[in-house]
């Protein structure tokens, strides 16, 4: 911007304006852009300005200069010049250009009858496209949001794709996961997990302001990005090419999140939304009796173990003591414990309300001579409900090698998701060359689920009905202290350092499941006496992550303004995880537990005090030997990189990373000191090179080639034999302590062209995997899923991207823009003798989509503050479950999704927004051997918001 890294000092709001803004904020809990209302003056002064690019000082022609709170506006000429007649005082200008987005700047003092001069520098950037990024010579306290297009790209470094906060807002995405699905080659799985270039979750990693993040999901190795609300995001950069500065675990790509920084002026924005989902809102959905604080996404203790049961179970298992042991409790004590447990098992029906959400941003800065202090706080709180009805079949191979139905269930699930998130940043900029910031990120996502499934189970030869009540609290907290220092006396040498402490938790208190079997020839349903007949599960996950890093770069002048840049750095990461799980069950102990008149009642009439005891049901521990584990990971790394020109047209970026890794996982049985735990230890040092060569054919055209070697390590969960299963008759999942890390060799070739008002890019990539980690099916009474190192795998793909601003056709069409991107990907994995009973020895990588396609048609007119965008997304069929014993793999089939997002600025600074999602509402289907084994619809949704 105009006054250096710290930005201009904002004029303080006057008393009437503050009261007016506060009054409007109380009426409408939302805001989009700050608008200063000014009265028309009797006389004016003249402002003459020049708008240039920060890259080389090139004049920016065709930029709109809009005076906030006034009808005055102008457009820059071919020399980047503009002129405005303004009232005396200071004004806020919005500078808008398709290659620079929207940037706000405050004018110099305007005096009546006088001419004032000013110069505005705009920073170009490019969201949602592969860009060649350069390190800034200095830094801004808060970068301006990138636009839909970029001007000529500078040479160097690696291929990345960037999504700015402005892009997220334009597409109407509420969290990081939904925003990233629009990037070339990225797919969204389950509404919360991102796959890069179609590769599975193990090949994607997430960084927060350069630091690694832990995952609060015990069964997944990827960070669920629906935890990160879009309100706290300044920028998301997707690295598709490996470079030594990045962590060594790099497969499909790394997603780097940058949270919002310190604002350049006082900022207060509030927003409120309400939404409707077809098939859910105002319908009578499943629910159950919970706690008083459920509305906040916090369990108030309703689902906690009763105090005396918790105390007793913390020292020894809840088992009946026999005559040969002093371990356990008497039958009488267990009867008391069983009667203490909350007797809530039944589902109810209640009208589901509309989705609701509120968010806000508050920030400001204070200039104290050479020091600029500032803060920014953003928060969001929302409620979303979704009722999903789906059918699910489980197939086996029958006579004549024909597929037969083993289990056939109808599901009804009502999920209530409560999100609470926020970020707070305080910082100090010193002499425009030193910036220190402290950032705290806290995001909670709570899922309250009531689920019932019913249908044929061939194992018992009749229908079964299973009810689940589940409450899961996921939380991600990160505290980060960072510093950036630029030294002009050393050719703008730069030093960056960081320390991040992150904590991930997952709490699942009192998950209740109860199963009834239909009694043949009658209308009665009887409580099942099988292991899953009734069960209560309590599970906690706690993960700590300490990440320390230091990065330095020294640009050494060479010739004609070109420089040799030397980069070096080091990092240490220490990560621990503890998983504690307890399972309890009412065991059949006496005549009453087998009395059909008793077990045909609803569960809340079965598990009463009169039926709990020696002649009925007895509460006992059924925790598995592998339910609990702890784990540690230590990473120590350093790197050295060089970026240098070979000529005016050729540039090379190369480097080497050395990384030591130690992983230890210990799976143990509770309360058994004589038992031998299962331990896994994986240790090694890797030297990982990477090189990128760039050829600048023309000022607006380049070709880039890149190659590198990276690794893929197993996650804690995959090294532990701890088991997990979701559905009766479904497969059980457990880890493999003998897994090894995989090596990945990558190559990329990219051509990119930036003609006026457009961008065209083509990318070809290839990856070879040595010993990739894949899911395999193991034999047994119940087929189970585990993990093994396959022999090898290959992945090759082509990506294409095209963007057009219709101003190239006629200036009257300038607000129109069109963007399309797609990827075609082929993969093949070769399994070896460790692949169990899997049907295919060669198949596509699990989770790999053969194609991904996105399109966006929009109208964005800053002069009328109107924005409309039509967004389309589809991804190809991918394997979600490997087939076994001759049964084919299960594929998730393509779903065509169309969304519409619109916003319009209204009088008095109000902004009205509308988001229509999933307009086609195509069913989500899973197929196996040509048969549909699962199908459901997500439902159309409409969200209306109002802001100020």
């Amino acid at each position: 911007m105009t006054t250096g890294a710290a930005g201009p000092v904002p004029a303080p709001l006057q008393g009437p304006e503050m009261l007016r803004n506060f009054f409007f904020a109380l009426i409408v809990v939302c805001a989009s852009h700050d608008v200063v209302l000014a009265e028309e003056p009797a006389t004016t002064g003249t402002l003459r300005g020049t708008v240039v690019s920060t890259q080389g000082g090139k004049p920016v022609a065709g930029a709109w200069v809009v005076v906030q709170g006034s009808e005055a506006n102008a457009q820059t000429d071919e020399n980047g010049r503009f002129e405005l007649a303004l009232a005396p005082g200071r004004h806020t200008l919005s500078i808008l250009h398709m290659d620079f987005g929207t940037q706000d700047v405050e004018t110099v003092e305007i005096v009546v009858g006088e001419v004032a001069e000013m110069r505005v520098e705009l920073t170009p950037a490019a969201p949602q496209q592969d860009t060649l990024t350069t390190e800034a010579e200095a830094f801004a306290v808060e970068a301006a949001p990138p636009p839909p297009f970029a001007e000529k790209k500078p040479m160097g470094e690696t291929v990345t794709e960037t999504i700015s906060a402005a892009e997220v807002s334009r597409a109407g995405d509420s969290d990081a996961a939904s925003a990233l699905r629009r990037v070339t080659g990225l797919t969204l799985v389950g509404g919360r997990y991102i796959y890069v270039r179609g590769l599975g979750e193990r090949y994607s990693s997430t960084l927060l302001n350069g630091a690694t993040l832990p995952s609060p999901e015990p069964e997944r190795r990827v960070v669920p990005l629906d935890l990160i609300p879009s309100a706290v995001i300044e920028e998301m950069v997707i690295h598709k090419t490996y470079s030594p500065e990045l962590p060594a675990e790099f497969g499909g790509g790394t997603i780097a999140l940058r949270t919002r920084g310190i604002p350049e002026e006082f900022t207060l924005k509030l927003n409120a939304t309400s939404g409707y989902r077809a098939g859910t809102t105002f319908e009578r959905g499943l629910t159950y009796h919970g706690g008083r604080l459920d509305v906040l996404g916090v369990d108030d203790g309703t689902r906690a173990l009763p105090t005396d049961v918790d105390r007793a179970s913390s020292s020894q298992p809840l088992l009946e003591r026999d005559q040969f042991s002093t371990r356990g409790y008497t039958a009488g004590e267990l009867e008391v414990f069983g009667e203490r447990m909350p007797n809530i098992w039944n589902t109810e029906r209640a009208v589901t309300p509309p989705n609701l959400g509120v968010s806000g941003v508050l920030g400001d800065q204070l200039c104290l001579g050479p020091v600029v202090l500032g803060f920014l706080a953003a928060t969001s709180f929302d409620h979303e409900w979704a009722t999903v009805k789906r059918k699910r079949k489980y197939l086996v191979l029958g006579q004549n090698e024909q597929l037969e139905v083993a289990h056939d269930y109808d599901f009804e699930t009502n999920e209530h998701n409560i999100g609470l998130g926020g970020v707070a940043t305080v910082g100090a900029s010193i002499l425009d060359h030193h910036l220190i910031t402290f950032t705290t990120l806290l995001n909670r996502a709570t899922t309250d689920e009531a689920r019932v499934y019913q249908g044929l189970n061939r194992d018992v030869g009749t229908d079964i009905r299973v009810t689940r009540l589940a409450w899961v609290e996921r939380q991600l907290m990160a505290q980060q202290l960072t510093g950036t220092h630029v030294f002009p006396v050393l050719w703008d040498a730069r030093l960056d350092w960081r320390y991040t402490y992150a904590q991930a938790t997952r709490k699942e208190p009192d998950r209740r499941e109860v199963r009834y079997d239909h009694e043949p020839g009658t209308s009665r349903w009887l409580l099942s006496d099988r292991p899953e007949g009734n069960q209560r599960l309590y599970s906690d996950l706690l993960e700590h992550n300490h990440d320390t890093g230091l990065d330095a770069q020294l640009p050494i002048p060479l010739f004609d303004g070109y420089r040799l840049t030397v980069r070096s750095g080091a990092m240490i990461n220490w990560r621990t995880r503890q998983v504690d799980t307890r399972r309890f069950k009412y065991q059949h102990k006496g005549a009453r537990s087998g009395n059909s008149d008793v077990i045909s009642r609803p569960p809340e009439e079965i598990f009463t005090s009169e039926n709990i005891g020696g002649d009925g049901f007895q509460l006992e521990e059924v925790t598995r030997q592998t339910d609990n584990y702890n784990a540690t990971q230590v990473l120590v790394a350093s790197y050295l990189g060089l970026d240098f020109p070979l000529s005016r047209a050729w540039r090379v970026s190369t480097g080497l990373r050395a990384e030591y890794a130690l992983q230890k996982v210990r799976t143990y049985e509770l309360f058994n000191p004589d038992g031998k735990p299962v331990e896994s230890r994986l240790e090694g040092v890797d030297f990982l090179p990477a090189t990128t060569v760039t050829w600048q054919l023309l000022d607006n055209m380049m070709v880039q080639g890149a190659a590198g070697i990276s690794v893929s390590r197993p996650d804690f969960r995959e090294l532990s034999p701890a088991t997990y299963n979701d559905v009766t008759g479904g497969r059980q999942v457990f880890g493999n302590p003998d897994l090894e890390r995989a090596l990945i060799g990558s190559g990329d070739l990219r051509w990119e062209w930036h003609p006026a008002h457009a961008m065209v890019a083509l990318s070809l990539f290839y990856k070879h995997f040595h010993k990739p980690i894949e899911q395999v099916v193991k034999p047994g009474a119940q087929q189970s899923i585990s993990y093994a190192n396959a022999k090898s795998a290959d992945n090759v793909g082509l990506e294409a991207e095209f963007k057009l601003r219709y101003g190239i056709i006629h200036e009257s069409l300038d607000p129109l823009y069109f963007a399309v991107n797609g990827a075609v990907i082929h993969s093949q994995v070769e399994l070896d003798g460790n692949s169990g009973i899997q049907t295919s020895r060669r198949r596509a990588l699990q989770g790999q989509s053969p194609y991904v396609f996105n399109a966006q048609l929009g109208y964005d007119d800053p002069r009328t503050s109107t924005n409309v965008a039509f967004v389309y997304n589809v991804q190809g069929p991918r394997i979600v479950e490997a087939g076994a014993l001759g049964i084919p793999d299960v594929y998730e089939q393509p779903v065509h999704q169309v969304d519409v997002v619109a916003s319009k600025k209204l009088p008095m600074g109000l902004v009205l927004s509308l988001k229509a999602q999933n307009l086609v509402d195509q069913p989500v289907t899973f197929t196996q051997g040509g048969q549909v084994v699962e199908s459901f619809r997500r439902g159309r949704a409409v969200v209306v918001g109002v802001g100020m």
Side-chain angles (χ1 to χ4, degrees), residues 483-526:
T484 299
H485 310 275
V486 176
F487 304 96
V489 296
L490 291 175
W491 306 301
D492 287 334
R494 178 168 174 156
L495 179 69
D496 294 273
W497 55 268
R498 70 178 185 274
Y499 169 72
T500 304
Y501 167 70
Q503 182 190 88
T505 61
R506 183 184 187 276
K507 298 181 181 295
E508 187 175 9
D510 202 8
R511 185 178 78 192
R512 284 147 284 175
E513 287 193 344
V514 61
R515 168 181 161 179
Y516 282 77
D517 295 347
H518 181 253
E519 185 178 35
T522 72
S523 59
R524 294 200 304 181
W525 292 80
L526 305 179

Side-chain angles (χ1 to χ4, degrees), residues 219-247:
E219 289 87 29
R220 312 297 291 260
R221 61 167 290 117
V222 65
V223 176
L225 290 175
D226 64 325
L227 277 177
I228 313 296
S230 59
V232 308
I233 297 172
E234 177 62 35
E235 186 179 65
M236 294 182 287
V237 180
I238 302 92
H239 298 269
K240 293 184 178 180
T241 302
Y242 177 67
S243 64
E245 295 88 350
L246 297 172

Side-chain angles (χ1 to χ4, degrees), residues 53-64:
S53 170
T54 57
Q55 295 182 357
K58 178 182 176 181
V60 178
W64 280 99

Side-chain angles (χ1 to χ4, degrees), residues 492-783:
D492 287 334
R494 178 168 174 156
L495 179 69
D496 294 273
W497 55 268
R498 70 178 185 274
Y499 169 72
T500 304
Y501 167 70
Q503 182 190 88
T505 61
R506 183 184 187 276
K507 298 181 181 295
E508 187 175 9
D510 202 8
R511 185 178 78 192
R512 284 147 284 175
E513 287 193 344
V514 61
R515 168 181 161 179
Y516 282 77
D517 295 347
H518 181 253
E519 185 178 35
T522 72
S523 59
R524 294 200 304 181
W525 292 80
L526 305 179
L527 180 71
S528 175
D529 60 355
R530 293 181 175 248
E532 67 273 19
N534 70 89
Q535 191 172 116
R536 311 183 83 127
L537 178 141
Y538 299 79
S539 182
D540 287 340
L541 176 148
L542 175 61
E543 184 165 321
H544 301 278
N545 191 80
H546 299 266
D547 187 289
T548 302
L550 181 68
D551 300 279
Q553 67 174 32
L554 176 63
I556 304 173
L558 295 178
F559 57 88
D560 294 339
Y562 289 100
R563 298 178 299 180
L564 164 66
T565 302
V566 181
R567 293 187 179 88
S568 183
M571 63 87 69
I572 299 175
N573 178 263
W574 178 46
R575 176 180 163 214
T576 63
R577 175 185 287 186
Q578 177 70 46
V579 174
D580 295 308
T581 301
R582 305 293 294 274
R583 302 174 194 263
F584 304 97
K585 183 180 188 298
Y586 286 104
Q587 300 282 16
H588 296 257
K589 288 294 183 179
R592 295 190 66 81
S593 65
N595 187 328
S596 60
D597 291 335
V598 173
I599 61 176
S600 62
R601 302 172 188 171
E604 292 177 5
E605 297 179 19
I606 295 177
F607 303 120
T608 59
S609 57
E610 63 178 352
N611 294 326
I612 295 175
D615 62 342
F617 294 93
Q618 180 171 284
L619 182 71
E620 289 190 357
E621 181 115 17
V622 291
T623 302
R624 299 168 183 170
Q625 296 180 359
T626 57
D627 269 342
N628 298 270
Y629 69 90
N630 53 47
T632 302
Q633 175 177 280
V634 177
L635 294 178
V636 180
S638 63
Y639 70 89
L640 177 65
L642 299 176
D643 181 69
F644 57 91
L646 297 177
S647 68
R648 289 180 174 84
W650 291 85
R651 192 171 192 89
V652 175
S653 180
T654 187
L656 178 70
R657 183 182 186 89
E659 187 163 296
Y660 164 80
L662 170 64
Q663 290 176 282
K664 296 189 295 183
V665 179
R666 180 176 176 271
T667 306
Y668 56 92
E669 182 183 3
L670 284 176
F671 312 117
N672 185 8
D674 299 327
K676 184 178 180 180
V678 178
E679 296 184 345
S680 175
R681 181 185 177 94
L682 189 59
E683 185 176 13
V685 178
D686 292 292
F687 296 92
L688 307 168
T691 298
T692 300
V693 179
T694 304
W695 176 27
Q696 196 82 35
L697 286 79
L698 303 171
D699 285 348
N700 61 354
M701 184 184 297
M702 69 90 188
V703 174
Q704 187 176 60
I709 299 176
S710 56
V711 303
S712 174
R713 300 187 181 96
D715 190 45
F716 291 148
R717 176 67 179 75
E718 297 167 344
L719 290 169
S720 170
T723 56
Y724 170 83
N725 65 298
D726 186 57
V727 175
T728 300
R731 289 173 175 169
Q732 188 170 255
V733 182
F734 60 91
N736 177 7
D738 298 322
L739 287 176
E740 303 177 46
R741 69 99 172 89
L743 280 175
I744 306 171
S746 303
D748 288 79
L749 182 63
R750 180 177 178 83
W751 170 79
E752 192 169 313
W753 180 34
H754 288 258
H757 299 273
M759 190 279 288
V760 185
L762 291 174
S763 299
L764 178 67
F765 64 88
Y766 170 74
K767 295 181 184 294
H768 177 75
F769 301 80
H770 176 66
K771 294 186 176 181
I773 301 170
E774 282 283 292
Q775 282 192 1
V776 296
V777 183
K778 295 293 186 179
Q782 177 184 0
Q783 292 179 9

Side-chain angles (χ1 to χ4, degrees), residues 846-857:
Q846 192 162 12
Q848 171 75 71
S849 293
Y851 62 84
V852 182
F853 182 80
N854 297 286
Q856 186 169 338
L857 175 63

Side-chain angles (χ1 to χ4, degrees), residues 99-236:
D99 292 342
F100 299 85
T102 302
Q103 299 188 28
D104 294 341
V105 62
E106 189 175 1
T107 69
V108 294
E109 187 74 25
I110 304 299
V111 179
V112 174
E114 295 184 8
V115 177
E117 297 276 352
M118 68 179 296
R119 175 184 172 92
V120 180
E121 294 183 357
L122 300 184
T123 303
Q128 277 192 290
Q129 65 185 44
D130 287 349
T131 64
L132 301 175
T133 58
T134 61
E135 295 291 341
E137 295 182 10
F139 53 85
V141 178
E142 183 183 44
F149 299 89
E151 63 175 22
K152 171 188 170 182
K153 301 283 198 67
M155 295 171 55
E157 296 158 26
T158 61
V159 176
T160 64
E161 299 198 29
T162 305
I163 302 179
S164 69
E167 286 285 292
V168 175
S169 175
R170 183 178 292 111
D173 297 309
S174 59
D175 55 64
S178 56
L180 285 166
R181 69 188 172 97
R182 310 193 191 285
V183 177
T184 310
L186 267 62
T187 53
L188 177 64
V189 178
R192 59 182 59 166
Y193 308 107
I194 289 293
Y195 289 5
V196 181
R197 284 177 166 171
L199 293 169
E201 62 189 50
R202 75 174 59 259
Y203 301 113
S204 301
S205 59
T206 303
L207 302 177
L208 175 69
N209 297 327
T212 56
L213 282 178
S215 174
E217 296 285 3
E219 289 87 29
R220 312 297 291 260
R221 61 167 290 117
V222 65
V223 176
L225 290 175
D226 64 325
L227 277 177
I228 313 296
S230 59
V232 308
I233 297 172
E234 177 62 35
E235 186 179 65
M236 294 182 287

Side-chain angles (χ1 to χ4, degrees), residues 219-415:
E219 289 87 29
R220 312 297 291 260
R221 61 167 290 117
V222 65
V223 176
L225 290 175
D226 64 325
L227 277 177
I228 313 296
S230 59
V232 308
I233 297 172
E234 177 62 35
E235 186 179 65
M236 294 182 287
V237 180
I238 302 92
H239 298 269
K240 293 184 178 180
T241 302
Y242 177 67
S243 64
E245 295 88 350
L246 297 172
E249 286 196 73
F250 186 98
T254 294
I255 299 169
L257 305 177
R258 184 165 68 88
T259 56
R260 290 183 181 271
I262 301 169
E264 295 186 347
E265 60 183 10
F266 176 77
T267 300
L268 174 60
K269 300 180 181 181
L270 300 169
N271 189 61
T273 61
S274 182
Y276 169 86
R277 182 180 298 275
T280 299
T281 308
F282 303 130
E283 302 289 342
R284 294 184 62 82
L286 291 174
T287 185
Y288 65 97
H289 181 70
R292 292 172 296 177
L293 298 181
D294 285 4
V295 67
L296 300 177
V298 178
D299 178 56
D300 63 355
T302 298
R303 300 170 180 85
L305 274 172
T307 302
D308 52 350
V309 179
D310 184 38
R311 186 184 304 113
S313 63
S314 63
S315 58
Q316 54 184 324
L318 296 186
L319 295 173
E320 186 172 359
R321 183 186 306 149
D322 57 39
Q323 57 181 334
F324 304 105
S325 173
T326 59
R327 190 177 179 217
Y329 295 91
T330 66
E333 290 173 319
L334 292 176
E335 179 179 351
V336 172
F337 295 152
E339 293 174 352
R340 290 280 195 276
M341 299 295 285
N343 191 21
I344 301 174
W345 301 82
N346 293 335
T347 60
E348 303 170 355
R349 293 279 180 180
V351 175
T352 304
N355 296 338
L356 298 170
V358 294
S359 62
V361 179
L362 175 66
D364 202 358
Q365 66 169 229
L366 174 66
C367 288
L368 300 175
V371 179
V372 179
L373 304 177
F375 76 94
L376 181 77
T379 186
S380 63
F381 181 57
D382 58 80
H383 286 259
E384 292 186 358
W385 287 265
T387 296
V388 176
K389 297 179 180 180
R390 61 188 176 105
K391 295 180 177 293
R392 180 67 166 100
K393 296 178 181 179
Y394 295 85
L395 305 182
V396 296
L397 205 62
Q399 296 180 352
N400 302 320
E401 302 296 313
Q402 297 296 314
L403 292 176
E404 297 179 355
V405 177
H407 315 300
D408 188 356
Y409 301 139
D410 290 320
F411 285 77
E412 181 179 355
T413 304
N414 190 20
E415 274 193 1

